Amino acid sequence: MDWKYTLSEPVLGDEEKAAVLSCLESGWLSMGPNTQAFEKRFSELTGAKHAIAVANGTAALHLALAALEIGASKTDEVIQPSINFVAAANMTKAVGAKPVFADIVALDEPTIAPAEIERHITPNTKAVVVMHYGGYPARMAEILKICEAHGLPLIEDACHAPLYRMDGFSGRALGTLGAVGCFSFFSNKNMTTGEGGMVTTDDDALAAKIRNLRSHGMTSLSWDRHHGRPATYDVTAHGYNYRIDDLRAALGRAQLERLDDLNALRQGHARAYADLVARASDTGMRYLYGSDPEGGTAHLAGILVPREARNPIRQMLADNGIQSSLHYPPVHLFTAFADTASDALPLTEAFAESMITLPMHAYLPDAAPEDIIGLIAESLLRHAA
């Protein structure tokens, strides 16, 4: 279908083409010098002591859990939101632990609620995962205090939030405030390498474990041996092939230098959406994070509508050439997690039944928010009549 407004689009230009071409011309395509430079720059821009590039965001989450030795006991539990992509819960299962799903703060603030974290802590709890939904910060000050009080490592799923620097944290970016941060550079993210991800930490020992597990537990890599240091290697852990390649790292380096500007463009679109939704308050429509739409990376543009109107509105948008989506179906309701007991999550389920994800990307046409919200407002008023 020829869409008038697409849900997301990567922003790729001459800088990215030149970076990839330079890598091709170098003759070194697997993990090597571009990866090292990408990691160094990501570390500089986020404030993380260590940045470790990996194959994708799911690999980042798996390595974080594995390096923290989550799942060493069959009774290990990891508290996390159900409103998230399934990767975090799948990787919790993959390491042999149990995901424990906690409810969100509010319908228009769909990040994990600090009180819900506290309520779900048991002697079996080994870690907490927060997800900065749509690129907007979870309530980090409160959550960090809870984790510190209980001696729990905090894993930040920052896949939506690259380079967002929070007030009150010395200019550090989301993904660098807990024990480990996990990022995705999938094609719909604010910066992309097609596939790819990053793990961040300030812990030297944890970083060494993550680097080791990233490449089969080997003590040296192909790039090291290419330069004769050393000639062979040992395998010291049962690791994985979660390496990124230098083509993707070269692309990531170019994207990273543009990311603050790209995030700012998204934030402008979020402000336009939020203002338009506020003007249509008589329809019952609400914009997620509408009180501070520029207070995150604006990875997603989401609205809440009456649940009975949600599917008709999505069909109306499609009929008008406008893509939409749902972020996300609750993980605890998926068939694969039927054996994972969960407390009632009323806000999570109500959110999932009434939210719609609207087009959002850096080069979204300026006219798009007004066109889209106008159509939705008309539809809601007709529905109400």
Side-chain angles (χ1 to χ4, degrees), residues 44 86 90 139 150 163 178 217 233 235 251 263 280 320 337 354 365:
E44 291 170 351
V86 72
N90 268 346
R139 297 194 173 187
H150 292 274
L163 292 200
Y233 60 87
V235 173
L251 180 57
N263 283 347
N320 282 274
F337 293 87
S354 60

Side-chain angles (χ1 to χ4, degrees), residues 153-167:
L154 179 64
I155 299 170
E156 289 180 80
D157 181 338
C159 293
H160 291 185
L163 292 200
Y164 185 74
R165 302 168 185 89
M166 284 186 69
D167 293 338

Side-chain angles (χ1 to χ4, degrees), residues 270-280 287 290 293:
R271 168 55 63 191
Y273 269 127
D275 289 348
L276 289 159
V277 170
R279 277 184 250 158
Y287 191 74

Side-chain angles (χ1 to χ4, degrees), residues 138-283:
R139 297 194 173 187
M140 292 301 292
E142 296 172 68
I143 293 169
L144 284 165
K145 285 181 182 177
I146 292 169
C147 289
E148 184 178 358
H150 292 274
L152 296 171
L154 179 64
I155 299 170
E156 289 180 80
D157 181 338
C159 293
H160 291 185
L163 292 200
Y164 185 74
R165 302 168 185 89
M166 284 186 69
D167 293 338
F169 287 92
S170 303
R172 291 175 66 92
L174 292 179
T176 72
L177 308 180
V180 191
C182 301
F183 297 84
S184 167
F185 307 133
F186 186 60
S187 60
N188 66 353
K189 297 299 190 289
N190 292 39
M191 63 167 284
T192 184
T193 58
E195 290 280 2
M198 192 76 73
V199 189
T200 52
T201 185
D202 285 350
D203 187 310
D204 294 344
L206 206 54
K209 289 177 72 172
I210 291 167
R211 289 188 189 279
N212 184 244
L213 290 170
R214 170 179 65 173
S215 189
H216 294 294
M218 297 162 63
T219 55
S220 69
L221 304 174
S222 298
W223 180 247
D224 301 317
R225 296 191 295 279
H226 178 69
H227 286 83
R229 47 177 205 273
T232 186
Y233 60 87
D234 190 15
V235 173
T236 59
H238 301 294
Y240 316 96
N241 181 359
Y242 281 164
R243 298 183 297 266
I244 198 170
D245 60 73
D246 252 29
L247 280 167
R248 287 179 172 82
L251 180 57
R253 290 176 66 190
Q255 288 267 286
L256 193 54
E257 297 306 322
R258 306 171 66 185
L259 184 53
D260 279 329
D261 291 339
L262 297 178
N263 283 347
L265 290 170
R266 286 173 171 268
Q267 289 162 343
H269 297 320
R271 168 55 63 191
Y273 269 127
D275 289 348
L276 289 159
V277 170
R279 277 184 250 158
S281 59
D282 57 331
T283 66

